[in-house]
Amino acid sequence: MRALALYVHQCLNKINLDHFISVSSLHTSSSVSAKQHYKMLVLGGGSGGIAMSARMKRMMGAENVAVVEPSEMHYYQPIWTLVGAGAKTAASSGRSTASVMPSGVKWVKSKVEEINPDTNTVRTDDGTEISYEYLIVALGLQLHYERIKGLPDGFEHPKIGSNYSIQTVEKTWNALQNFKGGNAVFSFPNTPVKCAGAPQKIMYLSDSYLRKTGKRSKAKIIYNTSLPVLFGVKKYADSLWEIVKQRDLQVNLRQNLIEVRADKQEAVFENLDKPGETTVIEYEMLHVTPPMGPSLAIKGGPLADEVGWLDVDRDTLQHKRYPNVFGIGDCTNLPTVRTAAAVAAQSAILNRTISKTLKKEKPDKKYDGYTSCPLVTSYNTVILAEFDYNLQPLETFPINQAKERRLMYHMKADLMPHLYWHGLLRGLWGGPGPYRKLLHLGMK
């Protein structure tokens, strides 16, 4: 009996020990998977996030860098203007995120839920907590179709599209192809937007398409913008107004789209100078530029300004209150137009800022607000607008860039996508006035 009791006691001890080991192992492995640490954490896998992660890989080693991005696909969004006009395919605008992620850099396939700069941690939507030494925020902005009554459900109907989303850009081309006659209406919302020229680019392309297909005489083309101007830089605005007059395009300023009645093919606009006054326009084609706003992961948090944008220094792109946090691209409150060219310029400045910060030195390069907007005015012409914080032209080429040019169209349609995929995203192209590198390559 004593031998049996001893055997049972040994078995119970072993069971308890095994249980203890099992539980300890479980807790250890779960805590490892739930918490990660990186010297440089990049939030967002868009153009700014990928470009900076490539630069950070070279600066501090791939094993020290991670990118938080939920999307399996990465899109070159500037080409969607041409996709909506049938000049490029939607498929040509996208590549897998895996193919553009710098090799060796950790890809966290999650969505950012919360940023806590006081504890240097980020929480993702699956509950994972990631800590960091330094943080780059490149979360882009949020599209808000739902702020227009009747959307996004209205996209279920034909004759309405939007070049700002991969889900709706081909609907623009379908609406244009099927246009028979009547009003073709294009909107610009009463919010900041990315690529502020895009809402009118599709208008010029639609005009060109309708002329080419013999339908222009049956069309009335209307551009309703919430802005008090056609374009913010006078030099280019003057040229655009000439095009508007020559092509008989109707531009209405201070008109904001507030409702789409897709079943009736009606768009409702509010007069911003006379609140409450609305106009209903019947359409045969409608292109919607949605209201846009700050990333929800930033808005209302400690990194945001009073409106909700990432609060960074306009010269260095370093956060105003947290010196180990930096920002790039559409998510920031930099007072410049949000474009891929702006990201290219910002990436070189931010790289320099971070390099100096790591050495405990003061940043010595300033971002001047450079941005560029290739204003597509037909299927073979572009006005290349380049300017700074003060809306003053900051041009690359020794020609009048306010003039429509075929060469600039080919740069927009053919050269820039190549530079994007093989230059910017690899952290190899960019800098103040990034087009200037083309001159160094002899591409005048």
Side-chain angles (χ1 to χ4, degrees), residues 133-148:
E133 238 179 284
Y134 299 93
L135 182 71
I136 296 175
V137 184
L139 287 171
L141 49 64
Q142 200 87 15
L143 303 182
H144 290 290
Y145 288 103
E146 78 284 354
R147 291 184 184 173
I148 299 172

Side-chain angles (χ1 to χ4, degrees), residues 380-393:
N380 57 19
T381 56
V382 159
I383 289 174
L384 181 60
E386 294 180 282
F387 48 96
D388 62 14
Y389 276 137
N390 299 317
L391 300 180
Q392 294 302 307

Side-chain angles (χ1 to χ4, degrees), residues 213-409:
T213 54
K215 300 176 184 177
R216 182 62 181 90
S217 62
K218 301 175 184 176
K220 182 177 182 180
I221 296 179
I222 302 169
Y223 180 61
N224 275 11
T225 173
S226 66
L227 300 176
V229 294
L230 183 57
F231 194 74
V233 183
K234 186 178 185 304
K235 177 178 180 178
Y236 308 117
D238 289 346
S239 296
L240 294 171
W241 277 118
E242 284 301 314
I243 293 171
V244 164
K245 292 172 186 173
Q246 291 167 8
R247 301 184 192 174
D248 192 26
L249 309 174
Q250 181 177 321
V251 175
N252 300 314
L253 305 177
R254 302 292 288 155
Q255 298 293 314
N256 184 41
L257 180 64
I258 59 172
E259 182 180 359
V260 174
R261 302 165 183 165
D263 55 336
K264 300 178 181 178
Q265 292 176 215
E266 293 178 347
V268 183
F269 291 87
E270 180 181 22
N271 184 341
L272 294 176
D273 289 331
K274 298 178 181 178
E277 180 181 294
T278 59
T279 302
V280 179
I281 302 177
E282 293 183 4
Y283 63 83
E284 181 65 19
M285 173 187 176
L286 174 64
H287 177 269
V288 176
T289 301
M292 303 179 201
S295 165
L296 299 181
I298 301 171
K299 188 176 182 178
L303 294 179
D305 65 9
E306 62 278 1
V307 180
W309 302 102
L310 188 74
D311 196 14
V312 296
D313 183 278
R314 59 181 276 165
D315 295 329
T316 65
L317 282 73
Q318 190 170 28
H319 197 272
K320 290 180 180 177
R321 298 183 298 282
Y322 297 93
N324 65 330
V325 177
F326 310 87
I328 187 171
D330 296 348
C331 69
T332 67
N333 62 354
L334 296 171
T336 192
V337 176
R338 296 166 167 86
T339 67
V343 169
Q346 291 165 19
S347 65
I349 299 296
L350 182 52
N351 190 69
R352 180 74 173 184
T353 294
I354 293 172
S355 175
K356 286 290 186 179
T357 301
L358 291 175
K359 297 173 185 175
K360 310 295 183 186
E361 298 175 6
K362 188 175 180 180
D364 59 352
K365 297 289 184 182
K366 292 185 177 182
Y367 175 52
D368 57 10
Y370 172 88
T371 191
S372 174
C373 186
L375 293 154
V376 184
T377 54
S378 76
Y379 284 91
N380 57 19
T381 56
V382 159
I383 289 174
L384 181 60
E386 294 180 282
F387 48 96
D388 62 14
Y389 276 137
N390 299 317
L391 300 180
Q392 294 302 307
L394 197 63
E395 297 180 343
T396 297
F397 300 92
I399 53 177
N400 179 12
Q401 291 183 197
K403 183 179 178 181
E404 293 178 281
R405 295 184 186 275
R406 186 183 295 267
L407 175 63
M408 297 305 179
Y409 178 86

Side-chain angles (χ1 to χ4, degrees), residues 1-12:
M1 288 294 288
R2 288 183 64 187
L4 179 61
L6 181 62
Y7 175 73
V8 170
H9 180 70
Q10 289 173 337
C11 286
L12 287 172

Side-chain angles (χ1 to χ4, degrees), residues 17-42:
L17 180 62
D18 287 345
H19 176 70
F20 174 78
I21 291 172
S22 174
V23 170
S24 297
S25 173
L26 179 64
H27 286 170
T28 302
S29 62
S30 66
S31 65
V32 168
S33 64
K35 187 157 186 175
Q36 306 170 38
H37 177 81
Y38 297 94
K39 184 169 185 179
M40 178 60 75
L41 183 61
V42 181

Side-chain angles (χ1 to χ4, degrees), residues 83-123:
V83 174
K88 297 284 183 179
T89 65
S92 72
S93 72
R95 296 187 182 182
S96 69
T97 300
S99 71
V100 300
M101 191 69 62
S103 61
V105 166
K106 172 68 175 178
W107 175 19
V108 181
K109 297 181 189 179
S110 301
K111 184 179 179 183
V112 176
E113 193 75 24
E114 183 182 8
I115 308 169
N116 192 336
D118 293 311
T119 58
N120 292 331
T121 58
V122 169
R123 185 169 55 82

